């Protein structure tokens, strides 16, 4: 893999081995080498270009009839994921009409709707590797898995899949800078020291004021003494409290034909309108989800307190409501 600007900026000998390994995933891989793209024997193999958390890409050559599970296992090996429990949080997926679709490990890729970058007898497929199951408490993961998890959250924020304001985005960026370069040092971190870390910045360039670098430097300075693992931990703890965290979002319309986003997550089903959560249904409160063509319906039990239900030992009163959404 090509040397990164971040690696050139930092004296890696002074960093722990674990962090040096992490850094190579913080930059894009650049132009694919010709040897990586050399056409294999006709009709026997396929090329899978997998984006790793949106930061870099890796090529995998498989037999054309190989099941997707083989690709998943090879990506796990590339990402140094060995623990069976930690593996379950991540998987390979593709986009179908801007919606995430995780590959079926029991089917071959050619039998799924994976987008092709090149057709023919030796097709090239475009896929992604990322978080499959978002957690209510990411702290239960080990440090390395939590690091990969934070890369996914970073990508979600930058792709506007998670809502965040300017101040919070700056604080989160400062935590990522703390992970990458450690404590702020006036002698080393002079003007422009964050430029090699541009890909870590969660504030779009068009929204940064002229004094943004000084603002970010001050936030980084406040984190002095925070270890790499604790900075990662704080990043995931703050990110999980953001709107749309962990949601797989789908564009839809409500029963009044208003445009909304419907998000499925570990919490339940959320409905967002103009970035604000307007409805939320816990999984435990849903008695049925029904699909009819492009329409789906939620049968939801809403809890209503009455004088009787407030009494000790009394059963709560539930009302059923049928809610319709259309794709």
């Amino acid at each position: 893999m090509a040397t990164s600007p971040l690696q050139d900026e930092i004296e890696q000998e002074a960093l722990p081995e674990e962090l040096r390994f992490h850094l190579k995933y913080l930059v894009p891989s650049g132009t694919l080498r010709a040897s990586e793209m050399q056409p294999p024997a006709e009709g026997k193999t396929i090329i899978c270009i997998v984006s790793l958390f949106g930061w870099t890409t890796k090529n995998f050559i498989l037999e054309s009839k190989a099941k997707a599970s083989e690709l998943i296992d090879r990506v796990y090996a590339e990402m140094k994921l060995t623990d069976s429990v930690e593996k379950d949080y991540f998987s390979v997926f593709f986009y179908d009409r801007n919606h995430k679709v995780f590959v079926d490990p029991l089917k071959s890729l050619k039998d799924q709707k994976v987008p092709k970058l090149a057709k023919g007898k030796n097709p090239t497929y475009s896929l992604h590797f990322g978080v499959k199951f978002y957690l209510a408490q990411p702290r239960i993961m080990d440090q390395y898995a939590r690091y990969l998890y934070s890369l996914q959250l970073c990508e979600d924020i930058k792709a506007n899949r998670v809502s965040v304001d300017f101040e919070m985005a700056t604080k989160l960026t400062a935590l990522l800078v703390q992970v990458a370069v450690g404590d702020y040092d006036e002698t080393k971190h002079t003007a422009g020291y964050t430029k090699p870390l541009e890909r870590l910045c969660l504030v779009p360039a068009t929204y940064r004021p002229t004094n943004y670098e000084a603002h970010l430097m001050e936030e980084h300075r406040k984190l002095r003494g925070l270890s790499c693992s604790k900075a990662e931990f704080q990043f995931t703890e703050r990110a999980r409290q953001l709107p749309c965290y962990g949601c797989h979002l789908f564009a839809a319309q409500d029963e009044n034909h208003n445009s909304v986003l419907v998000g499925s997550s570990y919490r339940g089903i959320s409905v967002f309108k103009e970035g604000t959560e307007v409805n939320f249904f816990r999984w435990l409160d849903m008695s049925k989800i029904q699909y009819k063509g492009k329409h789906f319906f939620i049968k939801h039990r809403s809890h209503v307190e009455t004088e009787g239900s407030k009494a000790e030992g009394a059963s709560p009163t539930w009302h059923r409501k049928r809610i319709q959404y259309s794709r």
Side-chain angles (χ1 to χ4, degrees), residues 25 36 45-48 50 52 58-64 66-81 87 92 109 129:
Y25 290 109
E36 292 180 314
T45 57
I46 59 174
I47 300 174
C48 300
V50 182
L52 306 175
K58 179 69 178 179
N59 297 342
F60 299 89
I61 298 178
L62 285 76
E63 292 185 2
S64 59
K67 292 182 179 179
S69 58
E70 181 178 336
L71 174 63
I72 295 172
D73 289 339
R74 289 182 60 182
V75 177
Y76 284 153
E78 170 68 19
M79 299 302 293
K80 305 297 188 289
L81 282 168
K87 285 180 179 179
V92 175
L109 293 175
F129 181 74

PDB file of all heavy atoms in Angstrom, residues 25 36 45-48 50 52 58-64 66-81 87 92 109 129:
ATOM      1  N   TYR A  25      -4.930   2.673   7.350  1.00  0.00           N
ATOM      2  CA  TYR A  25      -6.311   2.656   6.879  1.00  0.00           C
ATOM      3  C   TYR A  25      -6.948   4.039   6.906  1.00  0.00           C
ATOM      4  O   TYR A  25      -8.119   4.180   6.606  1.00  0.00           O
ATOM      5  CB  TYR A  25      -7.150   1.687   7.725  1.00  0.00           C
ATOM      6  CG  TYR A  25      -6.779   0.250   7.459  1.00  0.00           C
ATOM      7  CD1 TYR A  25      -6.101  -0.494   8.403  1.00  0.00           C
ATOM      8  CD2 TYR A  25      -7.075  -0.335   6.236  1.00  0.00           C
ATOM      9  CE1 TYR A  25      -5.736  -1.805   8.148  1.00  0.00           C
ATOM     10  CE2 TYR A  25      -6.708  -1.636   5.972  1.00  0.00           C
ATOM     11  CZ  TYR A  25      -6.048  -2.371   6.928  1.00  0.00           C
ATOM     12  OH  TYR A  25      -5.675  -3.655   6.682  1.00  0.00           O
ATOM     13  N   GLU A  36      -2.532  -5.372 -10.129  1.00  0.00           N
ATOM     14  CA  GLU A  36      -3.737  -5.747  -9.386  1.00  0.00           C
ATOM     15  C   GLU A  36      -4.924  -5.900 -10.321  1.00  0.00           C
ATOM     16  O   GLU A  36      -5.868  -6.621 -10.037  1.00  0.00           O
ATOM     17  CB  GLU A  36      -4.042  -4.698  -8.320  1.00  0.00           C
ATOM     18  CG  GLU A  36      -3.035  -4.657  -7.195  1.00  0.00           C
ATOM     19  CD  GLU A  36      -3.400  -3.609  -6.172  1.00  0.00           C
ATOM     20  OE1 GLU A  36      -3.733  -2.474  -6.587  1.00  0.00           O
ATOM     21  OE2 GLU A  36      -3.359  -3.903  -4.979  1.00  0.00           O
ATOM     22  N   THR A  45     -12.701 -16.489 -13.151  1.00  0.00           N
ATOM     23  CA  THR A  45     -12.605 -15.689 -11.940  1.00  0.00           C
ATOM     24  C   THR A  45     -13.324 -14.350 -12.080  1.00  0.00           C
ATOM     25  O   THR A  45     -13.673 -13.917 -13.181  1.00  0.00           O
ATOM     26  CB  THR A  45     -11.131 -15.419 -11.578  1.00  0.00           C
ATOM     27  OG1 THR A  45     -10.506 -14.784 -12.680  1.00  0.00           O
ATOM     28  CG2 THR A  45     -10.423 -16.697 -11.210  1.00  0.00           C
ATOM     29  N   ILE A  46     -13.507 -13.691 -10.941  1.00  0.00           N
ATOM     30  CA  ILE A  46     -14.071 -12.348 -10.909  1.00  0.00           C
ATOM     31  C   ILE A  46     -13.169 -11.477 -10.035  1.00  0.00           C
ATOM     32  O   ILE A  46     -12.418 -11.992  -9.206  1.00  0.00           O
ATOM     33  CB  ILE A  46     -15.505 -12.346 -10.345  1.00  0.00           C
ATOM     34  CG1 ILE A  46     -15.515 -12.931  -8.917  1.00  0.00           C
ATOM     35  CG2 ILE A  46     -16.462 -13.097 -11.247  1.00  0.00           C
ATOM     36  CD1 ILE A  46     -16.861 -12.845  -8.225  1.00  0.00           C
ATOM     37  N   ILE A  47     -13.237 -10.160 -10.246  1.00  0.00           N
ATOM     38  CA  ILE A  47     -12.484  -9.211  -9.429  1.00  0.00           C
ATOM     39  C   ILE A  47     -13.470  -8.444  -8.556  1.00  0.00           C
ATOM     40  O   ILE A  47     -14.470  -7.924  -9.051  1.00  0.00           O
ATOM     41  CB  ILE A  47     -11.687  -8.217 -10.298  1.00  0.00           C
ATOM     42  CG1 ILE A  47     -10.693  -8.962 -11.183  1.00  0.00           C
ATOM     43  CG2 ILE A  47     -10.963  -7.193  -9.427  1.00  0.00           C
ATOM     44  CD1 ILE A  47      -9.981  -8.072 -12.175  1.00  0.00           C
ATOM     45  N   CYS A  48     -13.199  -8.388  -7.274  1.00  0.00           N
ATOM     46  CA  CYS A  48     -14.033  -7.643  -6.336  1.00  0.00           C
ATOM     47  C   CYS A  48     -13.212  -6.493  -5.769  1.00  0.00           C
ATOM     48  O   CYS A  48     -12.193  -6.726  -5.111  1.00  0.00           O
ATOM     49  CB  CYS A  48     -14.522  -8.542  -5.201  1.00  0.00           C
ATOM     50  SG  CYS A  48     -15.522  -9.937  -5.749  1.00  0.00           S
ATOM     51  N   VAL A  50     -13.218  -3.815  -3.105  1.00  0.00           N
ATOM     52  CA  VAL A  50     -13.947  -3.584  -1.852  1.00  0.00           C
ATOM     53  C   VAL A  50     -13.433  -2.308  -1.195  1.00  0.00           C
ATOM     54  O   VAL A  50     -12.233  -2.171  -0.929  1.00  0.00           O
ATOM     55  CB  VAL A  50     -13.781  -4.773  -0.885  1.00  0.00           C
ATOM     56  CG1 VAL A  50     -14.585  -4.532   0.399  1.00  0.00           C
ATOM     57  CG2 VAL A  50     -14.242  -6.068  -1.556  1.00  0.00           C
ATOM     58  N   LEU A  52     -12.984  -0.163   1.975  1.00  0.00           N
ATOM     59  CA  LEU A  52     -12.890  -0.447   3.404  1.00  0.00           C
ATOM     60  C   LEU A  52     -13.261   0.796   4.201  1.00  0.00           C
ATOM     61  O   LEU A  52     -12.461   1.723   4.332  1.00  0.00           O
ATOM     62  CB  LEU A  52     -11.486  -0.927   3.761  1.00  0.00           C
ATOM     63  CG  LEU A  52     -10.970  -2.122   2.944  1.00  0.00           C
ATOM     64  CD1 LEU A  52      -9.519  -2.419   3.297  1.00  0.00           C
ATOM     65  CD2 LEU A  52     -11.845  -3.344   3.154  1.00  0.00           C
ATOM     66  N   LYS A  58      -9.398  -2.382  -1.613  1.00  0.00           N
ATOM     67  CA  LYS A  58      -8.582  -3.593  -1.729  1.00  0.00           C
ATOM     68  C   LYS A  58      -9.215  -4.489  -2.788  1.00  0.00           C
ATOM     69  O   LYS A  58     -10.442  -4.616  -2.839  1.00  0.00           O
ATOM     70  CB  LYS A  58      -8.531  -4.321  -0.377  1.00  0.00           C
ATOM     71  CG  LYS A  58      -7.740  -5.609  -0.382  1.00  0.00           C
ATOM     72  CD  LYS A  58      -6.260  -5.368  -0.559  1.00  0.00           C
ATOM     73  CE  LYS A  58      -5.471  -6.675  -0.507  1.00  0.00           C
ATOM     74  NZ  LYS A  58      -4.030  -6.456  -0.699  1.00  0.00           N
ATOM     75  N   ASN A  59      -8.383  -5.095  -3.618  1.00  0.00           N
ATOM     76  CA  ASN A  59      -8.870  -5.987  -4.666  1.00  0.00           C
ATOM     77  C   ASN A  59      -8.775  -7.441  -4.240  1.00  0.00           C
ATOM     78  O   ASN A  59      -7.768  -7.853  -3.648  1.00  0.00           O
ATOM     79  CB  ASN A  59      -8.057  -5.798  -5.945  1.00  0.00           C
ATOM     80  CG  ASN A  59      -8.206  -4.405  -6.501  1.00  0.00           C
ATOM     81  OD1 ASN A  59      -9.128  -3.685  -6.154  1.00  0.00           O
ATOM     82  ND2 ASN A  59      -7.275  -4.008  -7.361  1.00  0.00           N
ATOM     83  N   PHE A  60      -9.794  -8.210  -4.575  1.00  0.00           N
ATOM     84  CA  PHE A  60      -9.817  -9.639  -4.284  1.00  0.00           C
ATOM     85  C   PHE A  60     -10.234 -10.372  -5.556  1.00  0.00           C
ATOM     86  O   PHE A  60     -11.203  -9.977  -6.214  1.00  0.00           O
ATOM     87  CB  PHE A  60     -10.810  -9.967  -3.165  1.00  0.00           C
ATOM     88  CG  PHE A  60     -10.495  -9.295  -1.853  1.00  0.00           C
ATOM     89  CD1 PHE A  60     -10.998  -8.030  -1.572  1.00  0.00           C
ATOM     90  CD2 PHE A  60      -9.695  -9.916  -0.912  1.00  0.00           C
ATOM     91  CE1 PHE A  60     -10.709  -7.401  -0.368  1.00  0.00           C
ATOM     92  CE2 PHE A  60      -9.403  -9.294   0.292  1.00  0.00           C
ATOM     93  CZ  PHE A  60      -9.908  -8.027   0.563  1.00  0.00           C
ATOM     94  N   ILE A  61      -9.506 -11.421  -5.889  1.00  0.00           N
ATOM     95  CA  ILE A  61      -9.839 -12.244  -7.051  1.00  0.00           C
ATOM     96  C   ILE A  61     -10.380 -13.577  -6.562  1.00  0.00           C
ATOM     97  O   ILE A  61      -9.739 -14.269  -5.770  1.00  0.00           O
ATOM     98  CB  ILE A  61      -8.615 -12.461  -7.947  1.00  0.00           C
ATOM     99  CG1 ILE A  61      -8.113 -11.113  -8.484  1.00  0.00           C
ATOM    100  CG2 ILE A  61      -8.948 -13.387  -9.110  1.00  0.00           C
ATOM    101  CD1 ILE A  61      -6.878 -11.217  -9.355  1.00  0.00           C
ATOM    102  N   LEU A  62     -11.592 -13.908  -7.011  1.00  0.00           N
ATOM    103  CA  LEU A  62     -12.265 -15.134  -6.589  1.00  0.00           C
ATOM    104  C   LEU A  62     -12.687 -15.938  -7.797  1.00  0.00           C
ATOM    105  O   LEU A  62     -12.814 -15.399  -8.913  1.00  0.00           O
ATOM    106  CB  LEU A  62     -13.527 -14.818  -5.762  1.00  0.00           C
ATOM    107  CG  LEU A  62     -13.384 -14.335  -4.325  1.00  0.00           C
ATOM    108  CD1 LEU A  62     -12.959 -12.879  -4.285  1.00  0.00           C
ATOM    109  CD2 LEU A  62     -14.705 -14.508  -3.583  1.00  0.00           C
ATOM    110  N   GLU A  63     -12.932 -17.204  -7.580  1.00  0.00           N
ATOM    111  CA  GLU A  63     -13.540 -18.019  -8.620  1.00  0.00           C
ATOM    112  C   GLU A  63     -14.956 -17.514  -8.867  1.00  0.00           C
ATOM    113  O   GLU A  63     -15.641 -17.070  -7.943  1.00  0.00           O
ATOM    114  CB  GLU A  63     -13.581 -19.490  -8.208  1.00  0.00           C
ATOM    115  CG  GLU A  63     -12.206 -20.132  -8.123  1.00  0.00           C
ATOM    116  CD  GLU A  63     -12.295 -21.623  -7.825  1.00  0.00           C
ATOM    117  OE1 GLU A  63     -13.438 -22.127  -7.727  1.00  0.00           O
ATOM    118  OE2 GLU A  63     -11.241 -22.263  -7.689  1.00  0.00           O
ATOM    119  N   SER A  64     -15.383 -17.573 -10.107  1.00  0.00           N
ATOM    120  CA  SER A  64     -16.670 -16.982 -10.476  1.00  0.00           C
ATOM    121  C   SER A  64     -17.848 -17.618  -9.734  1.00  0.00           C
ATOM    122  O   SER A  64     -18.857 -16.965  -9.499  1.00  0.00           O
ATOM    123  CB  SER A  64     -16.894 -17.097 -11.985  1.00  0.00           C
ATOM    124  OG  SER A  64     -16.864 -18.466 -12.382  1.00  0.00           O
ATOM    125  N   ALA A  66     -17.635 -18.872  -6.655  1.00  0.00           N
ATOM    126  CA  ALA A  66     -17.396 -18.830  -5.207  1.00  0.00           C
ATOM    127  C   ALA A  66     -18.543 -18.126  -4.499  1.00  0.00           C
ATOM    128  O   ALA A  66     -19.123 -17.162  -5.009  1.00  0.00           O
ATOM    129  CB  ALA A  66     -16.088 -18.122  -4.911  1.00  0.00           C
ATOM    130  N   LYS A  67     -18.873 -18.619  -3.330  1.00  0.00           N
ATOM    131  CA  LYS A  67     -19.918 -17.983  -2.538  1.00  0.00           C
ATOM    132  C   LYS A  67     -19.377 -16.712  -1.890  1.00  0.00           C
ATOM    133  O   LYS A  67     -18.172 -16.555  -1.683  1.00  0.00           O
ATOM    134  CB  LYS A  67     -20.431 -18.955  -1.474  1.00  0.00           C
ATOM    135  CG  LYS A  67     -21.188 -20.144  -2.054  1.00  0.00           C
ATOM    136  CD  LYS A  67     -21.725 -21.048  -0.967  1.00  0.00           C
ATOM    137  CE  LYS A  67     -22.500 -22.221  -1.560  1.00  0.00           C
ATOM    138  NZ  LYS A  67     -23.020 -23.130  -0.513  1.00  0.00           N
ATOM    139  N   ALA A  68     -20.286 -15.808  -1.565  1.00  0.00           N
ATOM    140  CA  ALA A  68     -19.887 -14.528  -0.976  1.00  0.00           C
ATOM    141  C   ALA A  68     -19.175 -14.720   0.355  1.00  0.00           C
ATOM    142  O   ALA A  68     -18.390 -13.860   0.774  1.00  0.00           O
ATOM    143  CB  ALA A  68     -21.108 -13.638  -0.803  1.00  0.00           C
ATOM    144  N   SER A  69     -19.430 -15.838   1.030  1.00  0.00           N
ATOM    145  CA  SER A  69     -18.773 -16.095   2.312  1.00  0.00           C
ATOM    146  C   SER A  69     -17.253 -16.135   2.164  1.00  0.00           C
ATOM    147  O   SER A  69     -16.526 -15.755   3.077  1.00  0.00           O
ATOM    148  CB  SER A  69     -19.273 -17.409   2.914  1.00  0.00           C
ATOM    149  OG  SER A  69     -19.034 -18.494   2.027  1.00  0.00           O
ATOM    150  N   GLU A  70     -16.761 -16.586   0.998  1.00  0.00           N
ATOM    151  CA  GLU A  70     -15.312 -16.621   0.779  1.00  0.00           C
ATOM    152  C   GLU A  70     -14.742 -15.211   0.739  1.00  0.00           C
ATOM    153  O   GLU A  70     -13.687 -14.936   1.318  1.00  0.00           O
ATOM    154  CB  GLU A  70     -14.985 -17.353  -0.521  1.00  0.00           C
ATOM    155  CG  GLU A  70     -13.486 -17.444  -0.794  1.00  0.00           C
ATOM    156  CD  GLU A  70     -13.146 -18.208  -2.062  1.00  0.00           C
ATOM    157  OE1 GLU A  70     -13.973 -19.042  -2.487  1.00  0.00           O
ATOM    158  OE2 GLU A  70     -12.064 -17.950  -2.626  1.00  0.00           O
ATOM    159  N   LEU A  71     -15.448 -14.304   0.060  1.00  0.00           N
ATOM    160  CA  LEU A  71     -15.006 -12.908   0.021  1.00  0.00           C
ATOM    161  C   LEU A  71     -15.037 -12.298   1.419  1.00  0.00           C
ATOM    162  O   LEU A  71     -14.092 -11.614   1.834  1.00  0.00           O
ATOM    163  CB  LEU A  71     -15.885 -12.095  -0.924  1.00  0.00           C
ATOM    164  CG  LEU A  71     -15.617 -10.586  -0.943  1.00  0.00           C
ATOM    165  CD1 LEU A  71     -14.209 -10.303  -1.437  1.00  0.00           C
ATOM    166  CD2 LEU A  71     -16.649  -9.867  -1.807  1.00  0.00           C
ATOM    167  N   ILE A  72     -16.105 -12.546   2.160  1.00  0.00           N
ATOM    168  CA  ILE A  72     -16.230 -11.995   3.515  1.00  0.00           C
ATOM    169  C   ILE A  72     -15.067 -12.465   4.381  1.00  0.00           C
ATOM    170  O   ILE A  72     -14.443 -11.669   5.097  1.00  0.00           O
ATOM    171  CB  ILE A  72     -17.581 -12.407   4.143  1.00  0.00           C
ATOM    172  CG1 ILE A  72     -18.735 -11.786   3.361  1.00  0.00           C
ATOM    173  CG2 ILE A  72     -17.646 -11.972   5.606  1.00  0.00           C
ATOM    174  CD1 ILE A  72     -20.099 -12.283   3.791  1.00  0.00           C
ATOM    175  N   ASP A  73     -14.746 -13.751   4.314  1.00  0.00           N
ATOM    176  CA  ASP A  73     -13.645 -14.290   5.125  1.00  0.00           C
ATOM    177  C   ASP A  73     -12.305 -13.668   4.737  1.00  0.00           C
ATOM    178  O   ASP A  73     -11.459 -13.400   5.600  1.00  0.00           O
ATOM    179  CB  ASP A  73     -13.579 -15.809   4.970  1.00  0.00           C
ATOM    180  CG  ASP A  73     -14.737 -16.515   5.667  1.00  0.00           C
ATOM    181  OD1 ASP A  73     -15.344 -15.909   6.561  1.00  0.00           O
ATOM    182  OD2 ASP A  73     -15.030 -17.679   5.309  1.00  0.00           O
ATOM    183  N   ARG A  74     -12.104 -13.424   3.454  1.00  0.00           N
ATOM    184  CA  ARG A  74     -10.844 -12.831   3.014  1.00  0.00           C
ATOM    185  C   ARG A  74     -10.734 -11.371   3.445  1.00  0.00           C
ATOM    186  O   ARG A  74      -9.655 -10.888   3.766  1.00  0.00           O
ATOM    187  CB  ARG A  74     -10.708 -12.977   1.498  1.00  0.00           C
ATOM    188  CG  ARG A  74     -10.453 -14.429   1.063  1.00  0.00           C
ATOM    189  CD  ARG A  74     -10.262 -14.552  -0.417  1.00  0.00           C
ATOM    190  NE  ARG A  74      -9.128 -13.776  -0.903  1.00  0.00           N
ATOM    191  CZ  ARG A  74      -8.783 -13.702  -2.185  1.00  0.00           C
ATOM    192  NH1 ARG A  74      -9.484 -14.366  -3.103  1.00  0.00           N
ATOM    193  NH2 ARG A  74      -7.746 -12.977  -2.560  1.00  0.00           N
ATOM    194  N   VAL A  75     -11.858 -10.666   3.469  1.00  0.00           N
ATOM    195  CA  VAL A  75     -11.833  -9.282   3.951  1.00  0.00           C
ATOM    196  C   VAL A  75     -11.572  -9.268   5.456  1.00  0.00           C
ATOM    197  O   VAL A  75     -10.812  -8.433   5.954  1.00  0.00           O
ATOM    198  CB  VAL A  75     -13.151  -8.549   3.613  1.00  0.00           C
ATOM    199  CG1 VAL A  75     -13.128  -7.131   4.180  1.00  0.00           C
ATOM    200  CG2 VAL A  75     -13.361  -8.492   2.115  1.00  0.00           C
ATOM    201  N   TYR A  76     -12.194 -10.199   6.195  1.00  0.00           N
ATOM    202  CA  TYR A  76     -11.899 -10.320   7.632  1.00  0.00           C
ATOM    203  C   TYR A  76     -10.402 -10.501   7.856  1.00  0.00           C
ATOM    204  O   TYR A  76      -9.809  -9.867   8.740  1.00  0.00           O
ATOM    205  CB  TYR A  76     -12.629 -11.527   8.230  1.00  0.00           C
ATOM    206  CG  TYR A  76     -14.107 -11.348   8.465  1.00  0.00           C
ATOM    207  CD1 TYR A  76     -14.963 -12.454   8.446  1.00  0.00           C
ATOM    208  CD2 TYR A  76     -14.656 -10.098   8.722  1.00  0.00           C
ATOM    209  CE1 TYR A  76     -16.316 -12.307   8.677  1.00  0.00           C
ATOM    210  CE2 TYR A  76     -16.012  -9.947   8.952  1.00  0.00           C
ATOM    211  CZ  TYR A  76     -16.847 -11.060   8.922  1.00  0.00           C
ATOM    212  OH  TYR A  76     -18.187 -10.914   9.147  1.00  0.00           O
ATOM    213  N   ALA A  77      -9.794 -11.360   7.049  1.00  0.00           N
ATOM    214  CA  ALA A  77      -8.354 -11.619   7.202  1.00  0.00           C
ATOM    215  C   ALA A  77      -7.548 -10.366   6.886  1.00  0.00           C
ATOM    216  O   ALA A  77      -6.573 -10.048   7.581  1.00  0.00           O
ATOM    217  CB  ALA A  77      -7.936 -12.774   6.292  1.00  0.00           C
ATOM    218  N   GLU A  78      -7.943  -9.646   5.838  1.00  0.00           N
ATOM    219  CA  GLU A  78      -7.243  -8.411   5.469  1.00  0.00           C
ATOM    220  C   GLU A  78      -7.335  -7.370   6.579  1.00  0.00           C
ATOM    221  O   GLU A  78      -6.376  -6.651   6.863  1.00  0.00           O
ATOM    222  CB  GLU A  78      -7.853  -7.852   4.177  1.00  0.00           C
ATOM    223  CG  GLU A  78      -7.374  -6.454   3.805  1.00  0.00           C
ATOM    224  CD  GLU A  78      -5.912  -6.425   3.399  1.00  0.00           C
ATOM    225  OE1 GLU A  78      -5.359  -7.487   3.059  1.00  0.00           O
ATOM    226  OE2 GLU A  78      -5.320  -5.324   3.420  1.00  0.00           O
ATOM    227  N   MET A  79      -8.482  -7.315   7.252  1.00  0.00           N
ATOM    228  CA  MET A  79      -8.698  -6.328   8.311  1.00  0.00           C
ATOM    229  C   MET A  79      -8.259  -6.838   9.674  1.00  0.00           C
ATOM    230  O   MET A  79      -8.473  -6.177  10.689  1.00  0.00           O
ATOM    231  CB  MET A  79     -10.181  -5.943   8.362  1.00  0.00           C
ATOM    232  CG  MET A  79     -10.696  -5.309   7.083  1.00  0.00           C
ATOM    233  SD  MET A  79      -9.785  -3.830   6.616  1.00  0.00           S
ATOM    234  CE  MET A  79     -10.225  -2.719   7.937  1.00  0.00           C
ATOM    235  N   LYS A  80      -7.635  -8.023   9.720  1.00  0.00           N
ATOM    236  CA  LYS A  80      -7.118  -8.601  10.963  1.00  0.00           C
ATOM    237  C   LYS A  80      -8.226  -8.828  12.000  1.00  0.00           C
ATOM    238  O   LYS A  80      -8.002  -8.688  13.203  1.00  0.00           O
ATOM    239  CB  LYS A  80      -6.022  -7.710  11.563  1.00  0.00           C
ATOM    240  CG  LYS A  80      -4.873  -7.398  10.617  1.00  0.00           C
ATOM    241  CD  LYS A  80      -4.122  -8.653  10.209  1.00  0.00           C
ATOM    242  CE  LYS A  80      -2.848  -8.340   9.431  1.00  0.00           C
ATOM    243  NZ  LYS A  80      -3.103  -7.828   8.077  1.00  0.00           N
ATOM    244  N   LEU A  81      -9.420  -9.186  11.511  1.00  0.00           N
ATOM    245  CA  LEU A  81     -10.519  -9.531  12.412  1.00  0.00           C
ATOM    246  C   LEU A  81     -10.524 -11.048  12.585  1.00  0.00           C
ATOM    247  O   LEU A  81     -10.798 -11.791  11.635  1.00  0.00           O
ATOM    248  CB  LEU A  81     -11.863  -9.056  11.835  1.00  0.00           C
ATOM    249  CG  LEU A  81     -12.176  -7.569  11.991  1.00  0.00           C
ATOM    250  CD1 LEU A  81     -13.374  -7.191  11.124  1.00  0.00           C
ATOM    251  CD2 LEU A  81     -12.453  -7.227  13.454  1.00  0.00           C
ATOM    252  N   LYS A  87     -16.343 -10.331  14.499  1.00  0.00           N
ATOM    253  CA  LYS A  87     -16.646 -10.444  13.073  1.00  0.00           C
ATOM    254  C   LYS A  87     -18.115 -10.182  12.782  1.00  0.00           C
ATOM    255  O   LYS A  87     -18.467  -9.613  11.746  1.00  0.00           O
ATOM    256  CB  LYS A  87     -16.289 -11.848  12.568  1.00  0.00           C
ATOM    257  CG  LYS A  87     -14.814 -12.123  12.391  1.00  0.00           C
ATOM    258  CD  LYS A  87     -14.616 -13.540  11.893  1.00  0.00           C
ATOM    259  CE  LYS A  87     -13.156 -13.879  11.679  1.00  0.00           C
ATOM    260  NZ  LYS A  87     -12.987 -15.274  11.216  1.00  0.00           N
ATOM    261  N   VAL A  92     -19.764  -7.435   4.338  1.00  0.00           N
ATOM    262  CA  VAL A  92     -19.619  -6.844   3.007  1.00  0.00           C
ATOM    263  C   VAL A  92     -21.009  -6.501   2.469  1.00  0.00           C
ATOM    264  O   VAL A  92     -21.946  -7.286   2.621  1.00  0.00           O
ATOM    265  CB  VAL A  92     -18.895  -7.817   2.058  1.00  0.00           C
ATOM    266  CG1 VAL A  92     -18.857  -7.266   0.634  1.00  0.00           C
ATOM    267  CG2 VAL A  92     -17.482  -8.097   2.566  1.00  0.00           C
ATOM    268  N   LEU A 109     -21.720 -14.082  -5.824  1.00  0.00           N
ATOM    269  CA  LEU A 109     -21.944 -12.666  -6.100  1.00  0.00           C
ATOM    270  C   LEU A 109     -22.694 -12.454  -7.410  1.00  0.00           C
ATOM    271  O   LEU A 109     -23.486 -11.523  -7.540  1.00  0.00           O
ATOM    272  CB  LEU A 109     -20.599 -11.926  -6.138  1.00  0.00           C
ATOM    273  CG  LEU A 109     -19.860 -11.847  -4.797  1.00  0.00           C
ATOM    274  CD1 LEU A 109     -18.491 -11.208  -4.992  1.00  0.00           C
ATOM    275  CD2 LEU A 109     -20.663 -11.053  -3.776  1.00  0.00           C
ATOM    276  N   PHE A 129     -17.079  -2.652   2.676  1.00  0.00           N
ATOM    277  CA  PHE A 129     -16.984  -3.366   3.949  1.00  0.00           C
ATOM    278  C   PHE A 129     -17.243  -2.364   5.064  1.00  0.00           C
ATOM    279  O   PHE A 129     -16.665  -1.272   5.082  1.00  0.00           O
ATOM    280  CB  PHE A 129     -15.601  -3.989   4.126  1.00  0.00           C
ATOM    281  CG  PHE A 129     -15.443  -4.771   5.402  1.00  0.00           C
ATOM    282  CD1 PHE A 129     -16.034  -6.012   5.546  1.00  0.00           C
ATOM    283  CD2 PHE A 129     -14.705  -4.266   6.461  1.00  0.00           C
ATOM    284  CE1 PHE A 129     -15.896  -6.744   6.715  1.00  0.00           C
ATOM    285  CE2 PHE A 129     -14.557  -4.987   7.637  1.00  0.00           C
ATOM    286  CZ  PHE A 129     -15.159  -6.225   7.763  1.00  0.00           C
TER     287      PHE A 129
END
